Amino acid sequence: MKSLITTAILATSLLAATAANAHAPTQLEQAIAGEHRSDKNKARDMYRHPEETLIFFGFKSTMTVVEIAPGGGWYTEILAPALKGTGKLYGAHYPDTGEDNYYSKSRRKLEAKLATNEVFSDVELTNFTPRVASDIAPAGSADMVLTFRNLHNWKVDGVKQIFADSFKALKPGGVLGVVEHRMPTAQSLETNGKSGYFPQQLTIDLATAAGFELAASSEINANPKDTADHAKGVWTLPPVLRLGEQDKAKYLAIGESDRMTLKFVKPAK
């Protein structure tokens, strides 16, 4: 009888431990919930869907990942701790040339941010110059290259170059993940090129021309409320709200932009 009771207790303990482990937060989940992220940035998770997006791309905390043009570091705040100690994060950002321009200021601002918290201590910055061949990471070293809402800044020639740079940096079988403001098919890049949106099919065509294969597309970051025909382009919408108080409630109700989410793969040899 005593043996049966002991066995039952052990079985119950084992089930409880298994259940606890099954619900233990992953390194990615911990990074997203981390106290180093501001409430303002966390409030945008409902629009940017970082966990769902990275899982869709196949992200793992043991990977070598390149984030192209991290900007203010919104995604870096998630990627850095999610990879710290188990993987590697390169931030391919504009170089600081010492000039008083947007690119150098952006680099300095990011470097200052990375110095504020230990979670960023393993991040390695590389130099990325739009429309110029750049070594965003050692050739063939990356499992994943990511770019978020940047294609419209680089124009067609710039996108061609960064896709070539990404192909070079990735291992065979590596993933290029792209999230970008999506231009409606009824619009043309020629007449709407300054709107902040970029055509999805053109993105696919340019990636394919660079040697990638389209593995999957997702509507994780889609927003059917966004008509993409706003007075100040995509920046009319939150978080920028370039019109200020003018029709602010209207644009807040729309939310952030409609975005394509595309997963490309460098063919395995």
Side-chain angles (χ1 to χ4, degrees):
M1 183 67 175
K2 184 177 180 180
S3 176
L4 290 174
I5 294 174
T6 301
T7 301
I9 292 173
L10 288 173
T12 302
S13 299
L14 180 60
L15 287 171
T18 301
N21 289 333
H23 293 90
T26 65
Q27 198 161 325
L28 175 58
E29 290 170 335
Q30 290 176 332
I32 292 171
E35 294 182 358
H36 67 286
R37 298 185 68 215
S38 66
D39 290 340
K40 180 180 179 181
N41 281 358
K42 287 181 178 179
R44 296 186 64 200
D45 290 355
M46 64 182 289
Y47 300 115
R48 302 194 68 173
H49 312 103
E51 182 179 2
E52 297 90 338
T53 299
L54 291 174
I55 289 174
F56 169 72
F57 289 144
F59 175 87
K60 292 182 175 58
S61 291
T62 54
M63 286 180 163
T64 293
V65 178
V66 184
E67 182 186 7
I68 307 172
W74 193 93
Y75 251 101
T76 311
E77 289 185 355
I78 295 169
L79 293 169
L83 292 163
K84 187 175 176 59
T86 55
K88 175 71 178 177
L89 177 61
Y90 290 101
H93 206 51
Y94 311 122
D96 182 359
T97 61
E99 299 172 88
D100 188 25
N101 59 29
Y102 167 80
Y103 297 105
S104 293
K105 288 180 179 178
S106 179
R107 175 64 170 248
R108 293 173 207 147
K109 186 175 181 180
L110 179 62
E111 288 177 342
K113 179 184 182 69
L114 298 183
T116 63
N117 198 300
E118 177 64 21
V119 298
F120 303 120
S121 63
D122 292 345
V123 179
E124 182 174 344
L125 294 184
T126 58
N127 291 331
F128 157 66
T129 303
R131 292 171 288 281
V132 176
S134 304
D135 291 323
I136 59 176
S141 67
D143 299 291
M144 183 173 287
V145 174
L146 301 170
T147 175
F148 301 100
R149 305 178 311 122
N150 284 311
L151 304 191
H152 61 280
N153 292 317
W154 303 329
K155 312 303 181 186
V156 172
D157 286 345
V159 174
K160 286 181 180 178
Q161 184 60 62
I162 194 55
F163 283 176
D165 295 339
S166 299
F167 194 88
K168 179 181 177 182
L170 284 165
K171 301 173 183 177
V175 170
L176 169 65
V178 177
V179 177
E180 171 63 318
H181 310 295
R182 178 165 45 196
M183 181 176 288
T185 55
Q187 295 182 10
S188 73
L189 187 61
E190 183 178 359
T191 56
N192 296 278
K194 295 183 179 180
S195 67
Y197 295 86
F198 201 83
Q200 179 166 317
Q201 188 57 54
L202 178 58
T203 303
I204 295 170
D205 293 343
L206 293 174
T208 301
F212 288 101
E213 297 175 352
L214 178 64
S217 63
S218 173
E219 295 300 294
I220 295 169
N221 296 298
N223 180 1
K225 295 180 182 179
D226 178 18
T227 55
D229 58 356
H230 315 296
K232 297 293 182 179
V234 72
W235 304 280
T236 309
L237 300 175
V240 178
L241 294 169
R242 189 156 287 177
L243 293 178
E245 293 300 316
Q246 180 183 338
D247 293 325
K248 182 177 180 180
K250 169 186 172 181
Y251 295 117
L252 286 174
I254 293 173
E256 295 196 16
S257 67
D258 176 54
R259 295 165 191 160
M260 62 178 108
T261 305
L262 304 175
K263 177 180 180 179
F264 299 98
V265 174
K266 178 177 179 176
K269 291 182 179 178

